[in-house]
Amino acid sequence: MLLHKSELSEVTLDLNSNQVKKSVGRNAKAIHCLNREYAALEALHQRELDFGLISRDEANQSLTLARQGTHDLSDIGIDLTVREYMEIITKLALTIDQINQAGYVHRDIKTGNVMIKKVNGRHEFANIIDFGMCLRINRRQTDPAAAGGTRVFAHMSQWNQDYAANPGQDWYSFAMVALTLLEDTPLSIEAKIKTTNDGLDLS
């Protein structure tokens, strides 16, 4: 089953094994994202942080991962209760902190990369996915396809190769995820940011 397809990657799900296969897309820089993701997941796994990595197939330029959750936050955000929202946001913050404490910056925290599972009828945090933008803390953003991010969620410093990866980038994205679930849509939040001088007034 096809889950996602872009110039950088193609992601499919095997329902029998409940495993996800992530292959490189047609963009010439796609292999750099896949290699970066593998390196980060392997390093995090060695620190006993599990984000689903099972294996790497160098010949076919792909990764096999255990499925993390069943939906992402962009699918079910409006259906969350206040309690579910608070629990998910708390666990997301703790997971980001674990990644940062291990020496990495995810750099692509967004609603589409926060996976959710349903347990006894309740939405719960499952995990964070997609480490293709991940860099070690203080690494310059000069690696191929490393400068950039997802509009609205990513801090502007991610597009500047003169900057290094910093945990603050993840916390900016975390704040945007939290706001997105409370305030309309990412684009409406972006519009509010652009029209205010002193940040957002959420009163």
Side-chain angles (χ1 to χ4, degrees):
M1 173 190 297
L2 181 66
L3 297 179
H4 167 82
K5 187 171 185 177
S6 70
E7 288 194 352
L8 290 176
S9 66
E10 180 173 310
V11 182
T12 57
L13 170 65
D14 184 332
L15 291 171
N16 294 321
S17 64
N18 217 26
Q19 293 180 351
V20 171
K21 182 177 181 180
K22 186 171 187 178
S23 307
V24 297
R26 63 178 180 271
N27 188 303
K29 296 181 180 179
I31 187 61
H32 298 287
C33 294
L34 192 80
N35 289 339
R36 190 159 46 238
E37 179 161 17
Y38 174 75
L41 290 175
E42 181 67 21
L44 292 168
H45 181 73
Q46 290 175 7
R47 291 184 173 237
E48 299 184 353
L49 297 177
D50 183 14
F51 294 96
L53 178 64
I54 295 174
S55 64
R56 176 189 188 186
D57 185 340
E58 292 191 53
N60 293 311
Q61 298 183 334
S62 67
L63 301 178
T64 300
L65 307 110
R67 186 182 189 188
Q68 306 293 301
T70 55
H71 295 81
D72 64 52
L73 265 182
S74 64
D75 291 329
I76 54 89
I78 60 172
D79 297 324
L80 296 177
T81 65
V82 173
R83 181 176 178 179
E84 289 172 337
Y85 168 83
M86 294 304 296
E87 290 178 351
I88 289 169
I89 287 298
T90 299
K91 289 181 179 178
L92 173 60
L94 292 171
T95 304
I96 291 171
D97 185 57
Q98 288 180 321
I99 294 169
N100 293 165
Q101 290 293 329
Y104 284 86
V105 186
H106 184 281
R107 300 177 68 252
D108 201 16
I109 301 294
K110 58 183 179 181
T111 52
N113 284 340
V114 179
M115 298 306 295
I116 304 300
K117 58 187 176 183
K118 209 162 187 180
V119 180
N120 298 324
R122 297 184 66 252
H123 296 105
E124 295 186 2
F125 175 83
N127 220 338
I128 295 172
I129 61 168
D130 196 355
F131 285 71
M133 295 291 293
C134 190
L135 290 174
R136 287 195 63 83
I137 291 175
N138 291 329
R139 182 164 181 99
R140 293 285 295 277
Q141 299 173 150
T142 52
D143 292 355
T150 300
R151 183 183 171 192
V152 182
F153 292 103
H155 190 268
M156 65 183 71
S157 64
Q158 290 186 204
W159 276 267
N160 190 333
Q161 292 188 346
D162 291 333
Y163 282 86
N166 185 287
Q169 294 169 333
D170 281 351
W171 293 112
Y172 178 91
S173 300
F174 167 81
M176 295 306 294
V177 168
L179 283 172
T180 297
L181 298 179
L182 292 174
E183 287 265 312
D184 309 321
T185 67
L187 292 180
S188 68
I189 294 170
E190 182 182 48
K192 290 177 183 179
I193 290 175
K194 287 182 176 179
T195 56
T196 57
N197 294 323
D198 302 313
L200 294 178
D201 179 1
L202 301 177
S203 60

